[in-house]
Amino acid sequence: MNKLYWLDQIKLQDRAKVGDKAFYLSKIIQRGYPAIPGFVVSAEILREFLENLNSSESLVADLPHSSLHLDVTNWRQLQQVASRLRQEILTATVTQEWVSPIFQAAREWQTSCLILRPSLTVSTATPGINNNISGLLESVFCQCEPEAIALALKRTWSQIFRARSLLYWQHLGINLQQINLAVLVQPVENAIASGSLTTNASGWEIESTLGLGIAIALGEVQPDVYYIQPGTGVVLEQQLGNKMLGYSVDDAASGAFLQPLPNSALTPDRTCLITYMLPEAQQKQYSLQEEYLQQIIALGTQLVSELGKTFTIKWTITQQTTSGKLHITQVSPSQSIPHTHFIKGLGAAGGRVIATALVITNPQQKPEQLPKGVILVVPTITPDWLPLLQQVGGIITEQGGLTSHAAILARELGITAVVNATSATTLIQTGERLLLDGDRGEVSRIKGDSKEEINKGREENLLTSHHPKPKAPHPAVTSHLPMIATQLLVNLSQSTLIEQVQNLPVDGVGLLRSELMVLNILNGQHPNTWILSGRQAELLELWSEQIMQFARAFAPRPVFYRSLDWRSQDLPSLRDSLESSSQSMLGERGTFSYLQNPAVFELELKALASVQQAGYTNVNLLLPFVRTVEEFIFCRRKVEQAFLTEVAQFQLWMMAEVPSVLFLLPEYVKAGAGGISIGTNDLTQLLLGVDREQGQLAKVFDERHPAVMSAIAQLIQMAQSAGIPCSICGQAPALYPEIIDKLVEWGITSISVEPEAVERTYQAIARAEQRLILAAARRKLN
């Protein structure tokens, strides 16, 4: 095997062999800064590995010379090719000639756990590309054992053949021969705290969490944030994050005795790490003691002379016998695209997009269509904007919270969005190029409009957007996912997303939003208008076909169709003369509106009956915003009159979102409710008295509030006592995956989330179930 490249010995001419991540870290180490030690398995080893793959398949045999250019419009083929290539790599053998030197070198650290960080350089004439690929590949953890090291190497290498990676290579015309993927190997030590420091001329930002930094990387905690004034190091502001869990090294893996942490479990695919629940007292405290905070600020001040005013470092404070020691784990130089952050809002749908702004100051005056790829800037968005949003690249609204219509629509459609961006329509002008960061909730202006800057922007869009647009392939969900007992369902409304979503690891559709689904067929007219103008049969056919598309795609998995839940102010362009002009937060919505005017509800039931008659028995009905038992009984009778209950598999459920259900659930069950689905959005606003559309009250509107969590726990327990299933379909599990631990512990039957949250929710459920199993096993042993 070629020699290993130790960080403290890497030279300039080694850069292509060790990759940029290792190269920049080596420069810092060699200049005396504190950093985690490590060595690099050079990019040449991957080339040799691919050359030695033994397969009769031409796809694999030609791999070392492949252009990697596929028909990316055929997303199914792209997924299949990616899966086949990765499987070939994962099942191949890494020779002992390579593994043994790595193992022997790593043993010198006397650690039980290693991290393998991809260190990538791409040989291309495209400017700035290597500054934009850091988020493409992920680190891999493994035990310090030969077999584990070999598997971790293969898992790291295989990432360049993921669907997302293949899409990127094809987009930029990059061949495999231009990709230099080295692997930086470092020891993992238990940490007091970990996080990042990001600097620029206008301000510094420190993020921090307790334990290892993987909790931030996986999005499982909301880190503490400290805003620092450059030059002076003064802490201008600090915000307490939401930290329910932490990660530590499983020292028992090496044979050392470690007192098991409470509520802890080995993490899937990370068998040298343990997750553990933080005590409630620690959750309410900042993760950085003052002395550590000042050390990070001082280190950043020193690095300005080495790296300039704009850079990012990741750091960790490792545990020592009496105190902690600050180390740098990663270094990223200044961003290739200059920008200045000038608006701060709430990050409603993740990703980063660079595009031209289109400002609309009056949301009542919707255009007939929008230019493709623009960042739409508007005071607010109501559901009837949905048909216009399909082509936009990003969304900025001045109003709204994380559960507003704009936020929900953006997450389902995979559009990067920032809401509650005060004065956005005043501060932004149509035609400006913006960088929209949906993770940080920030809007920045891009300096320069040259062709080079535009190309850089396209690269950043492709790499950093966490939620691809609907026509892009969804990130691959591998066959290596652990089994889970809690059902995972998906929230949907758009038939255009069916093909991408139906093969995700979900047990069905937990919430089919009818009010958004039918916007695609109403042509801007209220259903009552269709009925009164004699077009009921035409509308019934269109409505039935819409539902049937979901039934057909997911059969035999269940689809829970939620009947219409409109407020007149939500759909100003579809208001009907039969409706009240009330502008209240609640409106004449849900099942109450069916009593006032049953014609549309009866049409919905006929559409469901048509789907049943077509042979699909997997569609169920979910009644929204039920205020009284009398309303439920009225709807149940209508359901019976439509003969839906003649199909044995049919289930009639109700949303649990009006607080009165906490007192009336036994009565609803007696009246025929076959299950409940908790709607955390409305339940939270009604319990806390906060309008979910008001972003300025975002700190008050919190589904994790003790009152809301207590209500959810009570509903789950009451459902168990009544012998009916209990699901949850609000935004809470997707926005705050840390509460999934509690939901699983309390016995939730199923969790339904947006498509973009399926993968992380699956993993969160798996971890929660593993912790419960482990805790039960320990109790049994004791």
Short mmCIF file of all heavy atoms in Angstrom, two decimals, residues 241-291:
data_model
loop_
_atom_site.label_atom_id
_atom_site.label_comp_id
_atom_site.label_asym_id
_atom_site.label_seq_id
_atom_site.Cartn_x
_atom_site.Cartn_y
_atom_site.Cartn_z
N GLY A 241 -30.64 26.74 22.27
CA GLY A 241 -31.19 25.80 21.30
C GLY A 241 -32.11 24.78 21.94
O GLY A 241 -32.58 24.95 23.07
N ASN A 242 -32.35 23.70 21.24
CA ASN A 242 -33.18 22.61 21.75
C ASN A 242 -32.37 21.33 21.66
O ASN A 242 -32.20 20.76 20.58
CB ASN A 242 -34.47 22.50 20.95
CG ASN A 242 -35.40 21.46 21.54
OD1 ASN A 242 -35.67 21.46 22.74
ND2 ASN A 242 -35.87 20.57 20.71
N LYS A 243 -31.84 20.89 22.79
CA LYS A 243 -30.89 19.78 22.81
C LYS A 243 -31.44 18.69 23.73
O LYS A 243 -31.28 18.77 24.95
CB LYS A 243 -29.53 20.26 23.32
CG LYS A 243 -29.04 21.56 22.67
CD LYS A 243 -27.75 22.07 23.27
CE LYS A 243 -27.85 22.45 24.72
NZ LYS A 243 -28.75 23.61 24.94
N MET A 244 -32.08 17.68 23.14
CA MET A 244 -32.65 16.61 23.96
C MET A 244 -31.75 15.39 24.03
O MET A 244 -31.87 14.58 24.92
CB MET A 244 -34.02 16.20 23.42
CG MET A 244 -35.10 17.24 23.64
SD MET A 244 -36.75 16.65 23.16
CE MET A 244 -37.03 15.36 24.37
N LEU A 245 -30.83 15.27 23.04
CA LEU A 245 -29.97 14.09 23.04
C LEU A 245 -28.54 14.48 22.74
O LEU A 245 -28.25 15.56 22.26
CB LEU A 245 -30.47 13.03 22.05
CG LEU A 245 -30.62 13.39 20.57
CD1 LEU A 245 -29.29 13.31 19.84
CD2 LEU A 245 -31.61 12.45 19.90
N GLY A 246 -27.63 13.56 23.03
CA GLY A 246 -26.22 13.76 22.74
C GLY A 246 -25.60 12.47 22.25
O GLY A 246 -26.22 11.39 22.33
N TYR A 247 -24.38 12.56 21.74
CA TYR A 247 -23.64 11.40 21.27
C TYR A 247 -22.33 11.29 22.04
O TYR A 247 -21.68 12.30 22.32
CB TYR A 247 -23.32 11.53 19.77
CG TYR A 247 -24.47 11.20 18.86
CD1 TYR A 247 -25.45 12.14 18.58
CD2 TYR A 247 -24.57 9.94 18.27
CE1 TYR A 247 -26.51 11.84 17.73
CE2 TYR A 247 -25.63 9.64 17.42
CZ TYR A 247 -26.59 10.59 17.16
OH TYR A 247 -27.63 10.30 16.32
N SER A 248 -21.95 10.06 22.34
CA SER A 248 -20.66 9.81 22.98
C SER A 248 -20.06 8.55 22.39
O SER A 248 -20.71 7.80 21.65
CB SER A 248 -20.82 9.65 24.49
OG SER A 248 -21.53 8.45 24.80
N VAL A 249 -18.78 8.32 22.71
CA VAL A 249 -18.08 7.13 22.24
C VAL A 249 -18.45 5.95 23.11
O VAL A 249 -18.51 6.06 24.33
CB VAL A 249 -16.56 7.36 22.26
CG1 VAL A 249 -15.81 6.09 21.88
CG2 VAL A 249 -16.18 8.50 21.34
N ASP A 250 -18.68 4.82 22.47
CA ASP A 250 -18.96 3.58 23.20
C ASP A 250 -17.63 2.96 23.61
O ASP A 250 -17.07 2.12 22.91
CB ASP A 250 -19.76 2.62 22.32
CG ASP A 250 -20.00 1.27 23.01
OD1 ASP A 250 -19.99 1.25 24.25
OD2 ASP A 250 -20.18 0.28 22.30
N ASP A 251 -17.09 3.39 24.76
CA ASP A 251 -15.80 2.87 25.20
C ASP A 251 -15.85 1.38 25.47
O ASP A 251 -14.82 0.69 25.45
CB ASP A 251 -15.35 3.60 26.47
CG ASP A 251 -14.90 5.02 26.17
OD1 ASP A 251 -14.57 5.28 24.99
OD2 ASP A 251 -14.88 5.85 27.08
N ALA A 252 -17.04 0.85 25.71
CA ALA A 252 -17.16 -0.59 25.97
C ALA A 252 -16.80 -1.42 24.75
O ALA A 252 -16.48 -2.59 24.83
CB ALA A 252 -18.58 -0.93 26.42
N ALA A 253 -16.84 -0.76 23.55
CA ALA A 253 -16.52 -1.49 22.32
C ALA A 253 -15.09 -1.98 22.31
O ALA A 253 -14.74 -2.96 21.66
CB ALA A 253 -16.76 -0.59 21.11
N SER A 254 -14.23 -1.30 23.07
CA SER A 254 -12.83 -1.73 23.11
C SER A 254 -12.53 -2.58 24.31
O SER A 254 -11.38 -2.92 24.58
CB SER A 254 -11.92 -0.48 23.13
OG SER A 254 -12.19 0.28 24.29
N GLY A 255 -13.56 -2.92 25.07
CA GLY A 255 -13.36 -3.78 26.22
C GLY A 255 -13.27 -3.01 27.52
O GLY A 255 -13.26 -3.59 28.59
N ALA A 256 -13.16 -1.69 27.45
CA ALA A 256 -13.07 -0.89 28.66
C ALA A 256 -14.43 -0.82 29.33
O ALA A 256 -15.46 -0.85 28.67
CB ALA A 256 -12.57 0.52 28.32
N PHE A 257 -14.44 -0.69 30.66
CA PHE A 257 -15.72 -0.62 31.37
C PHE A 257 -16.27 0.78 31.29
O PHE A 257 -15.57 1.75 31.54
CB PHE A 257 -15.53 -1.03 32.84
CG PHE A 257 -16.80 -0.90 33.64
CD1 PHE A 257 -17.78 -1.86 33.53
CD2 PHE A 257 -17.00 0.18 34.46
CE1 PHE A 257 -18.97 -1.74 34.25
CE2 PHE A 257 -18.18 0.31 35.18
CZ PHE A 257 -19.15 -0.66 35.08
N LEU A 258 -17.52 0.90 30.93
CA LEU A 258 -18.19 2.19 30.87
C LEU A 258 -19.56 2.04 31.50
O LEU A 258 -20.34 1.17 31.09
CB LEU A 258 -18.34 2.67 29.42
CG LEU A 258 -19.16 3.94 29.22
CD1 LEU A 258 -18.42 5.15 29.78
CD2 LEU A 258 -19.46 4.17 27.75
N GLN A 259 -19.84 2.85 32.50
CA GLN A 259 -21.16 2.82 33.11
C GLN A 259 -22.20 3.20 32.07
O GLN A 259 -22.10 4.28 31.48
CB GLN A 259 -21.22 3.80 34.29
CG GLN A 259 -22.55 3.79 35.03
CD GLN A 259 -22.80 2.47 35.74
OE1 GLN A 259 -21.88 1.81 36.18
NE2 GLN A 259 -24.05 2.07 35.84
N PRO A 260 -23.18 2.35 31.77
CA PRO A 260 -24.15 2.69 30.72
C PRO A 260 -24.84 4.01 31.02
O PRO A 260 -25.24 4.29 32.15
CB PRO A 260 -25.15 1.52 30.79
CG PRO A 260 -24.40 0.40 31.43
CD PRO A 260 -23.45 1.05 32.39
N LEU A 261 -24.96 4.82 30.00
CA LEU A 261 -25.64 6.10 30.14
C LEU A 261 -27.15 5.88 30.19
O LEU A 261 -27.66 4.97 29.54
CB LEU A 261 -25.30 7.02 28.97
CG LEU A 261 -23.85 7.49 28.93
CD1 LEU A 261 -23.55 8.10 27.57
CD2 LEU A 261 -23.56 8.49 30.03
N PRO A 262 -27.89 6.66 30.93
CA PRO A 262 -29.34 6.48 31.02
C PRO A 262 -29.99 6.71 29.66
O PRO A 262 -29.64 7.62 28.93
CB PRO A 262 -29.77 7.57 32.02
CG PRO A 262 -28.67 8.58 31.98
CD PRO A 262 -27.41 7.81 31.72
N ASN A 263 -30.98 5.85 29.36
CA ASN A 263 -31.75 5.98 28.11
C ASN A 263 -30.86 6.01 26.89
O ASN A 263 -31.10 6.73 25.93
CB ASN A 263 -32.60 7.26 28.14
CG ASN A 263 -33.55 7.28 29.31
OD1 ASN A 263 -34.14 6.26 29.63
ND2 ASN A 263 -33.68 8.42 29.95
N SER A 264 -29.76 5.24 26.90
CA SER A 264 -28.84 5.29 25.77
C SER A 264 -28.97 4.05 24.92
O SER A 264 -29.51 3.03 25.32
CB SER A 264 -27.40 5.42 26.27
OG SER A 264 -27.03 4.27 27.01
N ALA A 265 -28.45 4.14 23.70
CA ALA A 265 -28.49 3.00 22.78
C ALA A 265 -27.44 3.18 21.73
O ALA A 265 -27.08 4.29 21.36
CB ALA A 265 -29.87 2.89 22.13
N LEU A 266 -26.93 2.05 21.24
CA LEU A 266 -26.02 2.12 20.10
C LEU A 266 -26.79 2.63 18.90
O LEU A 266 -27.94 2.28 18.70
CB LEU A 266 -25.43 0.75 19.80
CG LEU A 266 -24.47 0.20 20.86
CD1 LEU A 266 -24.08 -1.23 20.51
CD2 LEU A 266 -23.22 1.06 20.95
N THR A 267 -26.17 3.46 18.09
CA THR A 267 -26.85 4.05 16.95
C THR A 267 -26.71 3.15 15.74
O THR A 267 -25.67 2.54 15.53
CB THR A 267 -26.26 5.42 16.62
OG1 THR A 267 -24.89 5.25 16.29
CG2 THR A 267 -26.38 6.35 17.80
N PRO A 268 -27.75 3.05 14.90
CA PRO A 268 -27.69 2.24 13.69
C PRO A 268 -26.54 2.69 12.80
O PRO A 268 -26.36 3.87 12.56
CB PRO A 268 -29.04 2.50 13.02
CG PRO A 268 -29.92 3.03 14.10
CD PRO A 268 -29.03 3.73 15.05
N ASP A 269 -25.75 1.73 12.30
CA ASP A 269 -24.65 2.00 11.39
C ASP A 269 -23.54 2.84 12.03
O ASP A 269 -22.64 3.30 11.37
CB ASP A 269 -25.12 2.69 10.10
CG ASP A 269 -25.98 1.76 9.26
OD1 ASP A 269 -25.74 0.55 9.34
OD2 ASP A 269 -26.86 2.25 8.56
N ARG A 270 -23.62 3.09 13.32
CA ARG A 270 -22.55 3.83 14.00
C ARG A 270 -22.26 3.07 15.30
O ARG A 270 -22.50 3.56 16.40
CB ARG A 270 -22.97 5.27 14.29
CG ARG A 270 -23.26 6.05 13.02
CD ARG A 270 -23.56 7.51 13.31
NE ARG A 270 -23.86 8.19 12.05
CZ ARG A 270 -25.06 8.31 11.53
NH1 ARG A 270 -26.08 7.78 12.14
NH2 ARG A 270 -25.24 8.94 10.39
N THR A 271 -21.73 1.87 15.18
CA THR A 271 -21.64 0.96 16.30
C THR A 271 -20.57 1.33 17.31
O THR A 271 -20.39 0.61 18.29
CB THR A 271 -21.39 -0.48 15.80
OG1 THR A 271 -20.25 -0.45 14.92
CG2 THR A 271 -22.59 -1.01 15.08
N CYS A 272 -19.85 2.43 17.10
CA CYS A 272 -18.91 2.86 18.13
C CYS A 272 -19.41 4.11 18.84
O CYS A 272 -18.71 4.70 19.64
CB CYS A 272 -17.51 3.10 17.54
SG CYS A 272 -17.44 4.47 16.38
N LEU A 273 -20.65 4.53 18.54
CA LEU A 273 -21.23 5.69 19.19
C LEU A 273 -22.47 5.29 19.98
O LEU A 273 -23.14 4.32 19.66
CB LEU A 273 -21.62 6.76 18.16
CG LEU A 273 -20.51 7.40 17.33
CD1 LEU A 273 -21.10 8.49 16.46
CD2 LEU A 273 -19.42 7.97 18.21
N ILE A 274 -22.75 6.08 20.99
CA ILE A 274 -23.95 5.88 21.80
C ILE A 274 -24.74 7.18 21.79
O ILE A 274 -24.17 8.27 21.89
CB ILE A 274 -23.58 5.50 23.25
CG1 ILE A 274 -23.19 4.03 23.33
CG2 ILE A 274 -24.73 5.79 24.21
CD1 ILE A 274 -22.80 3.58 24.72
N THR A 275 -26.05 7.08 21.65
CA THR A 275 -26.91 8.24 21.86
C THR A 275 -27.49 8.16 23.26
O THR A 275 -27.74 7.07 23.77
CB THR A 275 -28.07 8.29 20.84
OG1 THR A 275 -28.79 7.06 20.90
CG2 THR A 275 -27.56 8.51 19.44
N TYR A 276 -27.70 9.31 23.86
CA TYR A 276 -28.25 9.34 25.21
C TYR A 276 -29.11 10.58 25.37
O TYR A 276 -28.88 11.60 24.71
CB TYR A 276 -27.14 9.31 26.27
CG TYR A 276 -26.15 10.44 26.15
CD1 TYR A 276 -26.29 11.61 26.88
CD2 TYR A 276 -25.05 10.32 25.30
CE1 TYR A 276 -25.38 12.65 26.77
CE2 TYR A 276 -24.14 11.36 25.17
CZ TYR A 276 -24.31 12.52 25.91
OH TYR A 276 -23.41 13.55 25.78
N MET A 277 -30.10 10.47 26.22
CA MET A 277 -30.98 11.61 26.49
C MET A 277 -30.30 12.51 27.52
O MET A 277 -29.78 12.05 28.53
CB MET A 277 -32.32 11.13 27.03
CG MET A 277 -33.10 10.25 26.07
SD MET A 277 -33.47 11.10 24.50
CE MET A 277 -34.58 12.38 25.10
N LEU A 278 -30.29 13.80 27.23
CA LEU A 278 -29.72 14.76 28.17
C LEU A 278 -30.69 15.00 29.31
O LEU A 278 -31.90 15.11 29.09
CB LEU A 278 -29.43 16.09 27.46
CG LEU A 278 -28.32 16.05 26.41
CD1 LEU A 278 -28.32 17.35 25.62
CD2 LEU A 278 -26.97 15.84 27.06
N PRO A 279 -30.19 15.11 30.54
CA PRO A 279 -31.07 15.46 31.66
C PRO A 279 -31.77 16.79 31.39
O PRO A 279 -31.22 17.67 30.72
CB PRO A 279 -30.11 15.57 32.85
CG PRO A 279 -28.90 14.77 32.46
CD PRO A 279 -28.79 14.90 30.96
N GLU A 280 -32.96 16.94 31.91
CA GLU A 280 -33.75 18.13 31.63
C GLU A 280 -33.02 19.40 32.06
O GLU A 280 -33.10 20.43 31.38
CB GLU A 280 -35.10 18.04 32.35
CG GLU A 280 -36.07 19.14 31.95
CD GLU A 280 -37.47 18.90 32.50
OE1 GLU A 280 -37.73 17.79 33.00
OE2 GLU A 280 -38.28 19.83 32.43
N ALA A 281 -32.26 19.32 33.15
CA ALA A 281 -31.53 20.50 33.61
C ALA A 281 -30.49 20.94 32.58
O ALA A 281 -30.31 22.14 32.34
CB ALA A 281 -30.86 20.21 34.95
N GLN A 282 -29.81 19.96 31.95
CA GLN A 282 -28.81 20.30 30.95
C GLN A 282 -29.45 20.87 29.68
O GLN A 282 -28.86 21.72 29.01
CB GLN A 282 -27.98 19.06 30.59
CG GLN A 282 -26.89 18.75 31.60
CD GLN A 282 -25.96 17.66 31.08
OE1 GLN A 282 -26.40 16.59 30.68
NE2 GLN A 282 -24.67 17.94 31.10
N GLN A 283 -30.64 20.39 29.35
CA GLN A 283 -31.33 20.90 28.17
C GLN A 283 -31.62 22.39 28.30
O GLN A 283 -31.67 23.11 27.30
CB GLN A 283 -32.64 20.14 27.95
CG GLN A 283 -32.47 18.67 27.61
CD GLN A 283 -33.81 17.98 27.43
OE1 GLN A 283 -34.77 18.58 26.98
NE2 GLN A 283 -33.88 16.71 27.79
N LYS A 284 -31.81 22.85 29.51
CA LYS A 284 -32.17 24.24 29.74
C LYS A 284 -30.95 25.14 29.93
O LYS A 284 -31.10 26.34 30.16
CB LYS A 284 -33.09 24.35 30.96
CG LYS A 284 -34.43 23.63 30.76
CD LYS A 284 -35.30 23.71 32.00
CE LYS A 284 -36.63 22.98 31.79
NZ LYS A 284 -37.47 23.02 33.00
N GLN A 285 -29.75 24.55 29.87
CA GLN A 285 -28.52 25.32 30.05
C GLN A 285 -27.78 25.46 28.73
O GLN A 285 -27.91 24.60 27.84
CB GLN A 285 -27.61 24.63 31.07
CG GLN A 285 -28.18 24.54 32.47
CD GLN A 285 -27.30 23.71 33.40
OE1 GLN A 285 -26.33 23.09 32.96
NE2 GLN A 285 -27.63 23.70 34.67
N TYR A 286 -26.99 26.51 28.59
CA TYR A 286 -26.13 26.65 27.42
C TYR A 286 -25.02 25.61 27.48
O TYR A 286 -24.54 25.24 28.55
CB TYR A 286 -25.54 28.06 27.36
CG TYR A 286 -26.53 29.09 26.86
CD1 TYR A 286 -27.31 29.82 27.75
CD2 TYR A 286 -26.70 29.31 25.50
CE1 TYR A 286 -28.24 30.76 27.29
CE2 TYR A 286 -27.62 30.24 25.03
CZ TYR A 286 -28.39 30.96 25.94
OH TYR A 286 -29.30 31.87 25.48
N SER A 287 -24.62 25.13 26.30
CA SER A 287 -23.65 24.03 26.23
C SER A 287 -22.22 24.48 26.44
O SER A 287 -21.35 23.65 26.70
CB SER A 287 -23.78 23.33 24.86
OG SER A 287 -23.72 24.28 23.82
N LEU A 288 -21.94 25.77 26.31
CA LEU A 288 -20.57 26.27 26.46
C LEU A 288 -20.41 27.04 27.76
O LEU A 288 -21.12 28.03 28.00
CB LEU A 288 -20.19 27.18 25.29
CG LEU A 288 -19.82 26.49 23.98
CD1 LEU A 288 -19.54 27.53 22.91
CD2 LEU A 288 -18.61 25.58 24.16
N GLN A 289 -19.49 26.59 28.62
CA GLN A 289 -19.11 27.40 29.75
C GLN A 289 -18.38 28.64 29.23
O GLN A 289 -17.81 28.64 28.15
CB GLN A 289 -18.19 26.61 30.69
CG GLN A 289 -18.83 25.37 31.28
CD GLN A 289 -17.84 24.57 32.11
OE1 GLN A 289 -16.80 25.07 32.51
NE2 GLN A 289 -18.17 23.31 32.36
N GLU A 290 -18.37 29.69 30.03
CA GLU A 290 -17.78 30.95 29.60
C GLU A 290 -16.32 30.80 29.16
O GLU A 290 -15.89 31.38 28.16
CB GLU A 290 -17.89 31.99 30.73
CG GLU A 290 -17.35 33.37 30.37
CD GLU A 290 -18.13 34.03 29.24
OE1 GLU A 290 -19.32 33.69 29.05
OE2 GLU A 290 -17.55 34.90 28.56
N GLU A 291 -15.56 29.99 29.91
CA GLU A 291 -14.14 29.84 29.56
C GLU A 291 -13.96 29.19 28.19
O GLU A 291 -13.08 29.58 27.40
CB GLU A 291 -13.40 29.02 30.62
CG GLU A 291 -13.90 27.59 30.77
CD GLU A 291 -13.03 26.77 31.71
OE1 GLU A 291 -11.81 26.70 31.47
OE2 GLU A 291 -13.59 26.21 32.68
#
